[in-house]
Amino acid sequence: MKMPRQEESLLLNNRNGVSIVSTYNTFFTDSHTSQSQTGSETTEKAPFLVEPVRLTPAWEESNLPNDELNFKGMTMERAKMEIDPPKDRLNIVFLTLVLHGIGTLTPWNMFITAKAYFVDYKLSKDYTDEDSNYTANFLAYLGFASQIPNLLFNWLNVFVQMGGNLTTRIVWSLLFEVLLFVITVGMAMSDTSKIPGVFFWVTMATVVLLNMAGGIYQNSVYGMAAKLPIKYTGAVVLGSNISGSFAAIMSLLSTSFAESVRTAAIYYFITAMFVLLICFDTYFALPLNKYYKYHEMLAEKEKQRVERAGFDSGRPPYWKIFKDAFPQLFNVFLIFFVTLSVFPAVHSDIKQVDSDFFIPKDMFTTVTCFLTFNFCAMLGSLLTSWIKWPSPRYLVWPVVARLVFIPLFIFCNYHPLNITRVLPIYIENDYVYWAIAIIMSVSSGYLSSLAMMYAPSYVESRYAPTAGMFAAASLITGIFTGILFSMGVPWLVANLKW
């Protein structure tokens, strides 16, 4: 009897995978057959294993592309990240997005905080030797010039990725904003006392162009943050709230240390230029960070998976994304509507009641309005790093409850410029007014951060950047409608009484 080699094995292809059938059984089969059928030249071999041994996974049945099966494009760095996902060491990515959050609202905050420079200096009667209609509603004009282009370009950027990819949009937007601040500094250095109208319209045109670029920049930053865990969207919101505090502090410092209003304005606007240049520089550092690269890789893999599955039609399903994220988009809208209905137009025209109040009269508005709002909104945003309450389902209740701040601020010692108030004043205590301002500001920062973080989580991960852009557009829509409402408040206090 011939002995088979024990090393021999038979490799069979099976439609469910690779099968290995051992032929160690041939020895036992031959022995059994020779005993039962002596002299037979043909032996029938029965398989030793009833079911073949299968290797899993079966590579040819996994539907993976050949490039991935052959590890094409796989570098050692990428393989290491797959095995051991990197962490955000020293919170570098988080802090970078905070910085970009500061940059997104730097133009807006720098201009509204410089109200005294425009109204009390450049457009004042003392400087121009003529009465001007521009001063009475300067913040309203500024709000329109800021938010109409911001609103338009935020919504356009959701559906039409203007300027190409994220890098192109962010880089060119920042450079354009820096150039416009150079023009603003030039206007501050120039003597415009004889041409107040030209100064006003050049300022408004500058603001319009700044916010066109800012709308694209802001929307793109939220889209970029949506690729990362939700706390990084919160980082952008935190930065936008820090931006206001930063502008208020720089306004105080420049006014305190500069010899004149003109010099203070020059230093003030140059600071904004430096902030935007730092944002420009740090954006190029992000792709070098392993944590950021890892999440970009995950987003790209998800996109490729969808394309392989045949679900990607090239354009996101905008209506479905909007419907799914709508609860949080509504929250974002209403939070900023209430906030901008009172800040800064109403808030900055609330006058000091008690002459013995510990804050000097000439600093009352700067401290109780601009500094208080921006600092407390920043604290509210910071709270979301430790507390995330209420849940997405119940967030709408405190958001709706904030509507009460609109009448509360109107009932304070609010006196719009050149308006005779007939509505009675019900809150005549500076401490009560300040407490209301603090609660409004903290709730604005806290709830807006939660809503912005929750919005991308309402949709599939591959649509998170688009949901983030919808949230940013809802934010600007809330700001714009809030500013529109604030323009009617002076009429209310001049005509309404009970």
Side-chain angles (χ1 to χ4, degrees):
M1 180 178 65
K2 182 180 177 181
M3 291 283 291
R5 288 182 302 169
Q6 294 187 359
E7 300 85 13
E8 183 181 357
S9 64
L10 181 63
L11 183 64
L12 299 177
N13 287 327
N14 185 280
R15 67 182 182 89
N16 293 320
V18 177
S19 301
I20 296 177
V21 180
S22 172
T23 59
Y24 288 115
N25 56 67
T26 54
F27 172 77
F28 301 101
T29 306
D30 285 348
S31 300
H32 174 73
T33 306
S34 61
Q35 291 175 3
S36 59
Q37 299 179 2
T38 306
S40 175
E41 294 181 359
T42 304
T43 60
E44 183 180 353
K45 299 181 180 181
F48 178 64
L49 298 175
V50 177
E51 291 291 332
V53 178
R54 294 185 178 89
L55 295 179
T56 56
W59 294 100
E60 66 275 351
E61 292 293 327
S62 61
N63 291 323
L64 292 173
N66 291 331
D67 285 352
E68 190 165 337
L69 286 174
N70 297 324
F71 301 102
K72 184 177 180 180
M74 177 67 73
T75 63
M76 288 299 295
E77 182 182 25
R78 181 169 177 174
K80 186 177 180 180
M81 286 194 294
E82 292 271 16
I83 297 170
D84 185 20
K87 296 180 180 179
D88 187 9
R89 296 183 61 186
L90 303 177
N91 288 316
I92 295 296
V93 176
F94 185 88
L95 294 175
T96 301
L97 287 174
V98 169
L99 179 61
H100 281 276
I102 294 173
T104 58
L105 287 186
T106 289
W108 162 251
N109 283 307
M110 283 292 182
F111 274 85
I112 65 168
T113 307
K115 178 184 177 182
Y117 161 72
F118 291 107
V119 174
D120 300 333
Y121 175 55
K122 280 287 191 176
L123 297 172
S124 68
K125 185 176 181 179
D126 294 338
Y127 184 72
T128 62
D129 291 328
E130 62 181 72
D131 289 319
S132 171
N133 294 325
Y134 303 129
T135 56
N137 292 305
F138 180 79
L139 282 183
Y141 293 136
L142 185 66
F144 264 107
S146 298
Q147 300 311 322
I148 287 179
N150 206 347
L151 177 73
L152 176 64
F153 277 78
N154 256 281
W155 280 105
L156 277 177
N157 201 41
V158 173
F159 304 102
V160 182
Q161 295 190 353
M162 294 171 290
N165 58 26
L166 283 175
T167 298
T168 304
R169 283 178 278 164
I170 289 174
V171 167
W172 285 107
S173 297
L174 283 170
L175 287 177
F176 192 56
E177 288 185 16
V178 170
L179 176 62
L180 291 168
F181 267 107
V182 171
I183 295 172
T184 303
V185 171
M187 294 294 289
M189 297 172 69
S190 304
D191 180 6
T192 59
S193 59
K194 304 301 181 184
I195 50 169
V198 173
F199 172 78
F200 176 82
W201 288 110
V202 169
T203 300
M204 290 298 113
T206 302
V207 170
V208 167
L209 294 173
L210 270 171
N211 284 275
M212 287 170 62
I216 297 172
Y217 173 48
Q218 182 183 45
N219 198 279
S220 301
V221 167
Y222 276 108
M224 177 177 68
K227 297 179 182 179
L228 303 166
I230 61 170
K231 77 171 188 176
Y232 290 88
T233 300
V236 180
V237 179
L238 173 61
S240 65
N241 287 313
I242 293 175
S243 175
S245 300
F246 176 77
I249 292 170
M250 288 310 302
S251 177
L252 285 172
L253 291 176
S254 60
T255 304
S256 300
F257 293 105
E259 297 178 354
S260 65
V261 177
R262 174 178 171 272
T263 306
I266 293 170
Y267 290 149
Y268 179 72
F269 289 120
I270 285 177
T271 304
M273 289 171 51
F274 277 112
V275 170
L276 294 173
L277 286 171
I278 293 170
C279 290
F280 178 85
D281 201 34
T282 55
Y283 177 74
F284 287 101
L286 267 181
L288 303 177
N289 183 278
K290 290 184 178 179
Y291 182 80
Y292 183 80
K293 282 198 291 187
Y294 172 69
H295 281 278
E296 273 209 320
M297 181 186 72
L298 293 182
E300 186 62 28
K301 286 182 67 176
E302 174 67 14
K303 181 180 177 181
Q304 291 174 358
R305 185 189 67 79
V306 171
E307 288 175 353
R308 287 199 303 269
F311 298 138
D312 190 21
S313 62
R315 286 176 60 85
Y318 292 113
W319 179 241
K320 181 180 185 302
I321 296 169
F322 181 81
K323 284 195 301 181
D324 291 346
F326 179 76
Q328 299 310 320
L329 301 183
F330 172 78
N331 288 336
V332 171
F333 164 80
L334 191 58
I335 290 165
F336 284 94
F337 169 78
V338 172
T339 298
L340 270 294
S341 292
V342 296
F343 176 86
V346 176
H347 205 340
S348 63
D349 279 332
I350 293 177
K351 310 302 181 184
Q352 187 173 340
V353 176
D354 185 1
S355 59
D356 295 326
F357 193 63
F358 75 96
I359 298 175
K361 187 176 181 179
D362 60 339
M363 298 183 68
F364 183 80
T365 299
T366 301
V367 174
T368 62
C369 175
F370 295 107
L371 191 58
T372 295
F373 174 80
N374 291 302
F375 181 73
C376 292
M378 177 189 69
L379 290 181
S381 295
L382 275 173
L383 284 175
T384 58
S385 299
W386 302 283
I387 304 170
K388 289 182 177 61
W389 180 90
S391 65
R393 181 179 178 183
Y394 297 106
L395 184 63
V396 66
W397 296 111
V399 169
V400 172
R402 290 184 78 250
L403 287 166
V404 74
F405 286 120
I406 296 175
L408 285 177
F409 273 89
I410 294 174
F411 291 156
C412 290
N413 191 32
Y414 167 59
H415 290 280
L417 189 65
N418 300 329
I419 295 291
T420 301
R421 175 175 180 141
V422 299
L423 182 70
I425 297 170
Y426 295 99
I427 299 174
E428 297 181 322
N429 187 295
D430 291 326
Y431 287 101
V432 173
Y433 148 67
W434 202 13
I436 293 170
I438 290 171
I439 296 170
M440 186 276 292
S441 306
V442 171
S443 65
S444 177
Y446 179 74
L447 296 174
S448 63
S449 293
L450 283 182
M452 292 296 291
M453 287 190 289
Y454 288 156
S457 65
Y458 266 55
V459 300
E460 298 176 45
S461 60
R462 68 179 184 270
Y463 300 138
T466 304
M469 290 182 179
F470 267 120
S474 300
L475 182 156
I476 296 301
T477 307
I479 290 175
F480 179 71
T481 51
I483 290 172
L484 280 180
F485 180 85
S486 71
M487 293 182 68
V489 177
W491 181 89
L492 286 176
V493 299
N495 295 277
L496 188 65
K497 53 183 175 181
W498 58 67

